[in-house]
């Protein structure tokens, strides 16, 4: 259950980083950078701390970085879902 929570917090962090970018295509205007990007960084750090509580140091760092890379690559494709 904790793995799902930390996975969702990592996904939310990547999604917020994407939605604050000026090249995002999901919203008409990007979110303001100041509160949302800081929240995304905080969520990413919180998910890292969570992964560290579940796994060894090297496994947690590897999993966190791999998830960030995977989700950062997949989040922009979410704008293609629901388009007509």
């Amino acid at each position: 259950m904790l793995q799902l929570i930390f996975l969702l917090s990592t996904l939310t962090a990547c999604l917020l980083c994407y939605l604050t970018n000026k090249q995002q295509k999901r919203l008409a205007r990007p979110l303001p950078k100041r509160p949302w990007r800081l929240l995304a960084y905080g969520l990413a750090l919180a998910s890292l701390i969570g992964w560290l509580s579940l796994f060894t140091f090297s496994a947690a760092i590897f999993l966190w970085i791999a998830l960030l890379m995977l989700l950062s690559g997949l989040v922009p494709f979410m704008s293609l879902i629901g388009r007509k």
Side-chain angles (χ1 to χ4, degrees):
M1 186 66 183
L2 285 175
Q3 291 97 346
L4 181 63
I5 292 171
F6 299 140
L7 176 69
L8 289 176
S9 67
T10 308
L11 174 66
T12 306
C14 287
L15 186 62
L16 285 175
C17 275
Y18 173 71
L19 290 177
T20 58
N21 194 351
K22 65 180 177 179
Q23 281 87 22
Q24 61 90 20
K25 301 291 183 195
R26 194 69 176 153
L27 303 174
R29 290 183 356 173
L31 293 175
K33 286 186 182 181
R34 188 51 137 169
W36 297 107
R37 182 93 39 111
L38 291 175
L39 179 64
Y41 293 154
L43 276 173
L45 185 64
S47 69
L48 173 62
I49 293 169
W51 290 122
L52 286 169
S53 71
L54 289 178
F55 300 113
T56 62
F57 181 78
S58 58
I61 295 292
F62 175 77
L63 181 67
W64 183 66
I65 290 173
L67 276 174
L68 284 176
M69 287 188 306
L70 176 70
L71 293 173
S72 295
L74 290 179
V75 164
F77 289 108
M78 289 176 43
S79 63
L80 299 176
I81 299 172
R83 279 197 169 176
K84 296 182 181 185

